[in-house]
């Protein structure tokens, strides 16, 4: 298996832009997914296939990819965006892996 | 409404066994790959296992191989996780989740609320 590396925390002011990176050797060849998790709740899929947004997810959430690093961008951060964010991908053996998670704090 | 509901969690002694269930409703289970993911208290998400729609393929995280067995009964609309030789480090909330169609392998678009497993003497 392999690892996905995320920063432990990101702080952002309301209305500003938050960027969360996720790095891993396999990301150049595998899709990445992003999940938001609030305390006591199940995760919610925010981005799939690196940059696609499921229906119902606000447009301020976007994804991008460059080589072995993918980025989740939250534009115009709102207080309700305070949560843990996890990236996830697959390796060639069919197993999946999550990053350790990034806590986004809106200050 | 599309829904997943886990059950079967509880307190178990080290070395013991437990079987988790996940009841699916609001969609046709046999069309989807399904997964188990866990989250230890205060920790991040850890992928546990997945199973293809018709049970042809199963995958496990290295630390679960040989101890956990994923299975499903599409007719009963249920997913299962048989856990044995449990250790304290298996203490976690266990979620079942659906892989969405057309999202790319691994895109988990529906999650249950989880069931807590505590391994302690």
């Amino acid at each position: 298996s392999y690892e996905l590396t995320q920063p432990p925390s990101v702080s952002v002011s309301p209305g500003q832009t938050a960027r969360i990176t996720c790095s891993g050797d396999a990301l150049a060849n595998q899709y990445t997914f992003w999940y938001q998790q609030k305390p006591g709740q199940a995760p919610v899929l925010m981005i799939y296939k690196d940059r696609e947004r499921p229906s119902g997810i606000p447009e301020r959430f976007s994804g991008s990819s460059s080589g072995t690093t993918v980025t989740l961008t939250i534009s115009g951060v709102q207080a309700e965006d305070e949560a843990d964010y996890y990236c996830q991908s697959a390796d060639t053996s069919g197993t999946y892996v999550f990053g350790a998670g990034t806590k986004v704090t809106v200050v | 409404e599309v829904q997943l509901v886990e059950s079967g969690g509880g307190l178990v002694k080290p070395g013991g066994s437990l079987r988790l269930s996940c009841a699916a409703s609001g969609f046709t289970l046999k069309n989807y790959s399904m997964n188990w993911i866990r989250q230890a208290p205060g920790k991040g998400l850890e992928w546990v296992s997945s199973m293809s729609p018709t049970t042809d393929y199963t995958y496990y995280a290295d630390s679960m191989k040989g101890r956990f067995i994923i299975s499903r009964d599409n007719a009963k609309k249920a997913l299962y996780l048989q856990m044995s030789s449990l250790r304290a480090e298996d203490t976690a909330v266990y979620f079942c989740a659906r892989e969405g169609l057309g999202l790319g392998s691994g895109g988990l678009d529906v999650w249950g609320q989880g069931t807590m497993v505590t391994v302690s003497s």
Side-chain angles (χ1 to χ4, degrees):
Chain A
S1 62
Y2 68 103
E3 293 184 356
L4 299 177
T5 302
Q6 297 181 237
S9 62
V10 167
S11 294
V12 60
S13 300
Q16 298 303 302
T17 297
R19 293 182 178 85
I20 306 167
T21 58
C22 174
S23 300
D25 290 343
L27 295 185
N29 302 305
Q30 298 287 344
Y31 285 129
T32 304
F33 307 88
W34 288 96
Y35 301 86
Q36 176 194 69
Q37 187 182 32
K38 296 182 178 179
Q41 297 183 17
V44 174
L45 179 65
M46 307 300 284
I47 296 289
Y48 66 95
K49 287 185 178 179
D50 297 343
R51 63 185 70 246
E52 302 296 327
R53 207 171 38 249
S55 61
I57 301 303
E59 291 184 6
R60 63 180 181 275
F61 290 90
S62 63
S64 61
S65 175
S66 178
T68 58
T69 298
V70 295
T71 302
L72 173 69
T73 300
I74 313 173
S75 304
V77 168
Q78 301 182 5
E80 66 198 50
D81 300 331
E82 185 163 289
D84 293 326
Y85 291 84
Y86 297 89
C87 61
Q88 178 224 345
S89 189
D91 70 14
T92 55
S93 68
T95 62
Y96 300 140
V97 63
F98 287 93
T102 298
K103 182 176 183 62
V104 171
T105 302
V106 182
V107 296
Chain B
E1 178 189 7
V2 174
Q3 195 172 13
L4 296 170
V5 179
E6 302 92 338
S7 61
L11 176 64
V12 61
K13 289 182 167 54
S17 298
L18 207 58
R19 188 196 197 203
L20 305 183
S21 299
C22 171
S25 60
F27 66 100
T28 304
L29 181 64
K30 67 179 181 179
N31 293 336
Y32 294 85
S33 291
M34 296 295 293
N35 289 251
W36 287 99
I37 299 96
R38 70 183 186 183
Q39 187 169 36
K43 302 297 185 182
L45 301 173
E46 180 181 21
W47 177 80
V48 172
S49 180
S50 67
M51 174 171 267
S52 61
T54 54
T55 76
D56 294 356
Y57 300 100
T58 59
Y59 301 97
Y60 298 92
D62 287 345
S63 61
M64 288 69 158
K65 281 180 184 175
R67 299 191 302 125
F68 291 9
I69 299 174
I70 189 172
S71 63
R72 61 195 292 165
D73 186 331
N74 289 332
K76 293 185 177 179
K77 300 180 182 180
L79 177 74
Y80 306 102
L81 185 69
Q82 178 69 47
M83 305 185 295
S84 60
S85 302
L86 285 164
R87 310 161 181 165
E89 53 264 37
D90 294 318
T91 294
V93 174
Y94 285 74
F95 297 98
C96 67
R98 183 184 85 170
E99 283 188 44
L101 300 178
L103 303 185
S105 293
L108 305 173
D109 66 341
V110 178
W111 294 64
Q113 283 303 305
T115 187
M116 183 70 203
V117 172
T118 303
V119 183
S120 174
S121 56

